[in-house]
Amino acid sequence: MRDTWQHAAGNLNWDTAPLVGGRRLLSDAPTGFDLVSPRDGSVLAVVADGTASDVDAAVRSARAAFESGAWSRRSAIERGRVLIRFGDLVEQNARELALRISLEMGKPVQDALGVELRAVAQCLRWYGQLADKLPGEAPEATPDALALVTREPAGVVGAVVPWNFPLTMTAWKLGPALVAGNSVVLKPAEQTTVSALRLGELALEAGLPAGVLNVIPGRGDTVGEALGRHPDVDVLTFTGSVGVGRRFLVYSAESNGKRVWPELGGKSASVILSDADVEAAGRSTAWGAFYNQGQMCSASSRMVVLRDVHDRAVEAAVAQAAAMAPADPLSGEAPSGAVVSERQLERILGFVERALADGATLAAGSTSRHDIGTGRGSYIAPIVLTGVRPEMEIAQVEVFGPVLSVIAVDSVDEAVAVANGTPFGLGAGLWTRDLSAAHLVSRRLRAGTVWVNCYEEGDMSMPFGGVGASGYGRDKGAHAVDKYTDVKSTWIELGA
């Protein structure tokens, strides 16, 4: 299987030119930067280091496409058909896209294929099927008047997406923005540029008019900032770090006051009560902390467990850690892959070393890189830390790596206080066999999503987003369309 994927990798085209107005264009960037694969440290391509003028060209293209009405005034059902075809093309090209993702950011190729690309296709089809089912309103008015409340596309949407689920996060932005009739300028993460550009080509093949989706590669402090400050961008949607998300709010305030929708990560707790299926809870919590190499904003990075079942939960988590040791992402059977970069690897291990110095105990994993036998690549074995106190850095700051911090508590009230005791509020898990506790405790957990007796489950109908430092607004579901539309009230005098 590894040989099959490696052979396919040798045939990939790594074109990094911007996609603007339906065509690949030469960037005016004087330099580029290396796209390095965390799998083995090899350079996949030199990425065009996009400029503010590239962004301006893309925004002008998006505005012209929007004003032309080729997409914005097309019937909803026709837009839906294009999105459904887009999803079909993603499915047909899933192996190529999965290989690109795996090489770019280190995800096991079978996860990229069977999880991420399946989610992308489902997302695009879901919004395509929703297109003609978004209702308007006709409030009761006076007998001689007709009142209408309609939703109209906002215009030009800037979308800045992360590298951890590069095409899933992109689809979560594109689906609702496009189904509403907007044009989009997409800025992919530097680490996952080429997969995003290939997705843009498939959108054109599906029938999206030229200029409706433009993709600009480059660095966040140039392309991202230029998009955030551009006076002709109506809406900016972003998934990433707290610091960068807040910068986009500043860019908005200093430019045209565009709406900004930030999804900014988390420090999610999985709360295990004494009556839970403790072994299942420990395994699932650890899986939620380690999946995707722990590079998930909603990762269950804190296990908050009642002291009387602490040891059993930790034993289950340690066993899960052993089952998720990293391997070559192209092997076709790796439980985990590489973290996205050497820089990220060093950052994660730094957190762990400081936690140990602060009194935590290493129950699984190590403080050094994991060798998969090649001596190359950015690999870390899953880490379980016990003896973590709620106020420690490791329990307060998003690590974005395969690290589970275990915090023992003595009561349900203390568990809730600890779970809510960070600035974040994205996700939470709750494990109990008591139906009343499931309802009462989940209501007390400060999070946009609470999973009860499971973790990371759901479908496209369920909105995703957080509160507090995790940002606001929602991806997924019909509610996501609200972010990209304006409400118009129309009052018609019938007797005139």
Side-chain angles (χ1 to χ4, degrees):
M1 182 66 72
R2 181 187 291 110
D3 291 343
T4 299
W5 286 111
Q6 287 182 338
H7 176 75
N11 295 323
L12 291 177
N13 174 19
W14 293 95
D15 186 359
T16 70
L19 179 64
V20 177
R23 297 182 297 125
R24 292 296 194 99
L25 300 178
L26 289 176
S27 170
D28 67 356
T31 60
F33 57 89
D34 289 344
L35 178 62
V36 177
S37 175
R39 173 181 176 258
D40 58 8
S42 62
V43 176
L44 300 171
V46 177
V47 178
D49 204 353
T51 66
S53 62
D54 291 332
V55 171
D56 187 59
V59 173
R60 283 189 280 109
S61 172
R63 178 61 64 187
F66 181 78
E67 297 298 340
S68 76
W71 182 253
S72 58
R73 292 195 293 275
R74 187 178 292 190
S75 72
I77 196 165
E78 289 177 346
R79 290 200 298 265
R81 287 170 180 154
V82 172
L83 285 178
I84 291 169
R85 284 199 297 273
F86 190 6
D88 291 344
L89 284 171
V90 168
E91 184 175 77
Q92 292 166 23
N93 292 271
R95 289 183 66 85
E96 176 203 343
L97 291 167
L99 181 55
R100 291 186 186 278
I101 291 171
S102 184
L103 289 169
E104 286 183 308
M105 59 78 60
K107 188 192 303 279
V109 70
Q110 78 276 8
D111 286 350
L113 180 62
V115 179
E116 176 140 14
L117 271 303
R118 183 171 60 184
V120 173
Q122 288 174 342
C123 175
L124 295 171
R125 288 171 179 150
W126 194 90
Y127 282 107
Q129 293 160 357
L130 181 70
D132 60 341
K133 302 172 186 67
L134 292 167
E137 303 172 37
E140 289 293 331
T142 62
D144 57 353
L146 174 64
L148 299 174
V149 179
T150 54
R151 288 195 171 273
E152 298 185 348
V156 175
V157 174
V160 181
V161 296
W163 46 259
N164 59 327
F165 288 92
L167 297 191
T168 302
M169 298 294 102
T170 298
W172 284 9
K173 312 299 187 187
L174 294 184
L178 292 176
V179 80
N182 297 284
S183 296
V184 179
V185 178
L186 172 68
K187 191 274 178 199
E190 294 94 313
Q191 298 89 340
T192 49
T193 293
V194 181
S195 56
L197 285 163
R198 182 69 181 110
L199 190 71
E201 291 177 335
L202 293 177
L204 290 169
E205 189 177 336
L208 205 67
V212 173
L213 175 59
N214 307 273
V215 185
I216 303 295
R219 301 180 193 271
D221 56 4
T222 50
V223 172
E225 180 172 350
L227 197 55
R229 291 187 181 278
H230 202 287
D232 205 24
V233 172
D234 300 294
V235 176
L236 193 292
T237 178
F238 168 76
T239 296
S241 70
V242 172
V244 175
R246 291 178 178 174
R247 242 180 276 164
F248 278 114
L249 295 171
V250 172
Y251 301 156
S252 170
E254 293 179 348
S255 56
N256 62 336
K258 62 179 64 66
R259 281 168 283 174
V260 176
W261 297 104
E263 193 275 279
L264 306 178
K267 192 67 184 176
S268 301
S270 183
V271 177
I272 304 176
L273 303 188
S274 299
D275 69 323
D277 181 339
V278 176
E279 284 69 30
R283 290 194 304 272
S284 183
T285 298
W287 176 90
F290 304 145
Y291 181 71
N292 206 47
Q293 299 73 250
Q295 299 166 142
M296 296 196 298
C297 54
S298 56
S300 49
S301 55
R302 293 181 298 150
M303 178 192 288
V304 180
V305 58
L306 270 291
R307 202 174 299 276
D308 59 342
V309 295
H310 170 276
D311 292 352
R312 290 166 55 201
V314 169
E315 183 179 355
V318 169
Q320 186 66 31
M324 296 181 73
D328 182 356
L330 297 191
S331 68
E333 54 189 20
S336 296
V339 298
V340 72
S341 67
E342 284 290 307
R343 179 180 177 184
Q344 183 69 4
L345 182 150
E346 292 168 3
R347 180 179 180 273
I348 294 165
L349 293 178
F351 274 110
V352 174
E353 289 167 356
R354 291 191 296 275
L356 295 174
D358 203 18
T361 299
L362 190 68
S366 74
T367 58
S368 59
R369 73 172 58 239
H370 184 80
D371 185 3
I372 66 167
T374 63
R376 297 172 297 173
S378 306
Y379 298 93
I380 303 175
I383 292 167
V384 178
L385 296 173
T386 57
V388 174
R389 301 185 306 279
E391 71 277 7
M392 290 168 60
E393 177 196 47
I394 197 74
Q396 290 289 319
V397 179
E398 187 173 41
V399 175
F400 226 61
V403 181
L404 175 63
S405 298
V406 182
I407 304 172
V409 294
D410 293 309
S411 69
V412 173
D413 286 344
E414 184 184 1
V416 171
V418 169
N420 292 341
T422 78
F424 297 99
L426 185 56
L430 175 63
W431 296 83
T432 178
R433 289 188 174 100
D434 186 321
L435 181 60
S436 294
H439 283 284
L440 293 173
V441 177
S442 63
R443 290 177 183 177
R444 296 172 65 189
L445 294 172
R446 186 170 175 266
T449 300
V450 179
W451 292 281
V452 179
N453 294 329
C454 61
Y455 206 83
E456 284 292 345
E457 297 296 334
D459 60 23
M460 278 303 304
S461 67
M462 297 293 288
F464 180 85
V467 297
S470 294
Y472 51 85
R474 295 295 182 265
D475 289 326
K476 297 175 59 188
H479 292 281
V481 181
D482 296 344
K483 300 191 298 186
Y484 308 109
T485 55
D486 294 317
V487 175
K488 175 179 280 187
S489 296
T490 304
W491 184 275
I492 304 173
E493 287 287 346
L494 300 177

